[in-house]
C-alpha cells in the first residue's frame, strides 16, 4: 500500500496563471483611479483628450491580448520548459502594460 498515494505538485505555469488572473482586476482598478493632468488651454485640451483616449485604447487592447494569452497558456500542450517560457513572456508583457498604465511609454 505504500505506492498507493500519489503526491502531485502543482505546475508552476498554472500557479503563475492563476496569480495573474487574481491580479488583473487590481491592475484595472489602479488604471481607473489614475487622474488626468489638467490642460492649459482648450486647444491643447482637445489634443490631450485625443491622445489620452488613444493611449487608453492601446492599453485596453494590450490587456485583452494578455488575457487571451493567459487563457491559451492554461490549456497549453507542451513541455514544462515551453510552458515556463510562455509564462515568462506573458509576465514581461504584463510589466510593459503596467509601464504603459503608469504613463512611462
Amino acid at each position: 500500500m505504500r505506492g498507493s498515494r500519489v503526491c502531485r505538485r502543482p505546475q508552476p505555469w498554472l500557479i503563475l496563471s492563476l496569480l495573474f488572473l487574481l491580479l488583473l482586476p487590481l491592475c484595472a482598478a489602479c488604471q481607473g483611479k489614475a487622474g488626468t493632468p489638467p490642460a492649459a488651454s482648450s486647444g491643447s485640451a482637445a489634443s490631450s483628450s485625443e491622445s489620452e483616449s488613444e493611449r487608453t485604447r492601446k492599453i485596453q487592447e494590450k490587456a485583452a491580448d494578455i488575457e487571451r494569452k493567459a487563457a491559451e497558456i492554461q490549456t497549453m500542450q507542451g513541455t514544462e520548459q515551453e510552458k515556463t517560457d510562455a509564462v515568462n513572456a506573458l509576465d514581461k508583457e504584463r510589466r510593459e502594460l503596467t509601464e504603459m498604465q503608469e504613463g512611462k511609454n
Side-chain angles (χ1 to χ4, degrees), residues 1 3 7 16-17 24 29 37 43 45 54 59 61 77-78 90 103:
M1 284 306 223
C7 181
L16 290 173
S17 297
L24 188 61
E54 179 68 19
I59 288 172
E61 286 177 358
Q77 300 287 326
L90 188 63

Side-chain angles (χ1 to χ4, degrees), residues 12-13 15-17 19-21 23-24 27 62 65-67 69-70 73 82-99:
W13 62 270
I15 292 171
L16 290 173
S17 297
L19 180 62
F20 167 71
L21 291 175
L23 293 176
L24 188 61
C27 291
K62 188 163 185 85
D65 186 47
I66 289 171
E67 285 183 56
K69 288 180 181 179
I73 289 172
E82 289 172 332
K83 293 174 185 178
T84 301
D85 292 344
V87 169
N88 289 338
L90 188 63
D91 189 43
K92 180 181 176 191
E93 288 188 36
R94 286 186 198 127
R95 286 191 302 271
E96 291 171 358
L97 176 63
T98 300
E99 289 176 0

Side-chain angles (χ1 to χ4, degrees), residues 14-75:
L14 181 60
I15 292 171
L16 290 173
S17 297
L18 293 174
L19 180 62
F20 167 71
L21 291 175
L22 292 173
L23 293 176
L24 188 61
L26 181 62
C27 291
C30 290
Q31 179 186 0
K33 291 181 182 178
T36 57
S41 66
S42 63
S44 66
S47 66
S48 174
S49 176
E50 288 177 18
S51 64
E52 185 65 25
S53 65
E54 179 68 19
R55 183 177 163 272
T56 301
R57 184 187 61 77
K58 287 181 181 179
I59 288 172
Q60 291 172 342
E61 286 177 358
K62 188 163 185 85
D65 186 47
I66 289 171
E67 285 183 56
R68 181 186 53 77
K69 288 180 181 179
E72 289 175 2
I73 289 172
Q74 288 180 344
T75 59

